[in-house]
Amino acid sequence: MGMGTGAEAKMEYKRVMLKISGEALMGDQGYGLHPPTVARIAREVKTVHDLGIEICRVIGGGNIFRGLQGAAQGMERATADYMGMLATVMNALGMQAALEAEGIFTRVISAIPMDQVCEPYIRRRAIRHLEKKRVVIFAAGTGNPYFTTDTAATLRANEMGCEAIFKGTKVDGVYDKDPKKFPDAKRYDTVSYDEVLQKHLGVMDASAIALARDNNLPIIVFSLDEPGGFRGVLEGKGTYTRVHG
């Protein structure tokens, strides 16, 4: 534990995955997309894109529909999950509009083909977009029920050859318990994949952590509410937690 030092934290990344929840797009509303919040996140991405870093995105769907809640209310789990995947497509299109308003060419690529609104997932084509410095937003999760968008982010990050997953959350890292409820919660500077799984630290679900561990893909957890946070963390500044082997 303890604070990260600037030296070890100076990160040289060429290609990264930014994973955010759908809830991050709500602002202080209870539902849906809050355009000023979406625009703010787009500007954060632009500051990193301006560094020449290639950026993949995955956005959750919980601001519109959460599959697990649907399943809890008696809907068949697979159906509820598909609805959640469709919600992520709406978020991806909203984020694409905001990024293109900032002058960044963006492609939405859906694991569930819907050619009228976005591209189907073809790995080599997606990599080509990244090489051309387009932001690529992967929508519709993995295309399969029973998998979260965290797992989708880890899967796509591996397929695209990303060097890290940046998980933007409401808190500035991984804590031993909920810092909003417990003032004595301690933040980890670094934590291993196995500790995250054993201590149920709730960084991502177990499938995502295991997939990251098996491919030695670091996960950087930072606060998306901190202005300049995404670029700052890439430059080794600010507070964050690094999950690694």
Side-chain angles (χ1 to χ4, degrees), residues 163-197:
E163 290 137 319
I165 299 176
F166 285 77
K167 180 159 163 117
T169 65
K170 293 246 172 263
V171 287
D172 61 354
V174 180
Y175 286 79
D176 58 354
K177 48 194 165 182
D178 187 345
K180 289 194 160 53
K181 291 182 192 146
F182 302 96
D184 63 335
K186 290 190 173 60
R187 187 179 62 79
Y188 295 93
D189 254 351
T190 61
V191 62
S192 72
Y193 302 115
D194 290 332
E195 271 183 281
V196 167
L197 291 171

Side-chain angles (χ1 to χ4, degrees), residues 211-234:
L211 189 56
R213 179 188 62 192
D214 293 349
N215 296 279
N216 209 15
L217 181 69
I219 304 164
I220 315 285
V221 182
F222 71 103
S223 170
L224 200 66
D225 292 343
E226 200 62 48
F230 185 28
R231 179 167 176 160
V233 169
L234 270 160

Side-chain angles (χ1 to χ4, degrees), residues 8 18 34 76 110 137 154 184 209:
E8 58 94 38
L18 174 62
H34 180 239
E76 186 189 25
S110 171
I137 307 176
T154 313
D184 63 335
I209 297 292

Side-chain angles (χ1 to χ4, degrees), residues 35-57:
T37 301
V38 179
R40 178 180 69 78
I41 294 170
R43 285 192 297 274
E44 293 269 328
V45 171
K46 182 182 191 306
T47 63
V48 170
H49 187 263
D50 288 347
L51 297 172
I53 294 169
E54 297 167 6
I55 302 164
C56 304
R57 307 278 313 272

Side-chain angles (χ1 to χ4, degrees), residues 14-87:
K14 219 171 78 62
R15 183 178 294 167
V16 299
M17 165 65 74
L18 174 62
K19 165 64 171 62
I20 65 172
S21 68
E23 284 88 344
L25 305 182
M26 291 194 306
D28 42 18
Q29 303 172 159
Y31 180 82
L33 289 95
H34 180 239
T37 301
V38 179
R40 178 180 69 78
I41 294 170
R43 285 192 297 274
E44 293 269 328
V45 171
K46 182 182 191 306
T47 63
V48 170
H49 187 263
D50 288 347
L51 297 172
I53 294 169
E54 297 167 6
I55 302 164
C56 304
R57 307 278 313 272
V58 168
I59 307 169
N63 55 322
I64 297 170
F65 188 88
R66 186 167 276 289
L68 282 170
Q69 280 171 355
Q73 287 163 22
M75 188 183 286
E76 186 189 25
R77 171 73 192 270
T79 301
D81 279 359
Y82 280 124
M83 289 174 69
M85 285 181 236
L86 295 177

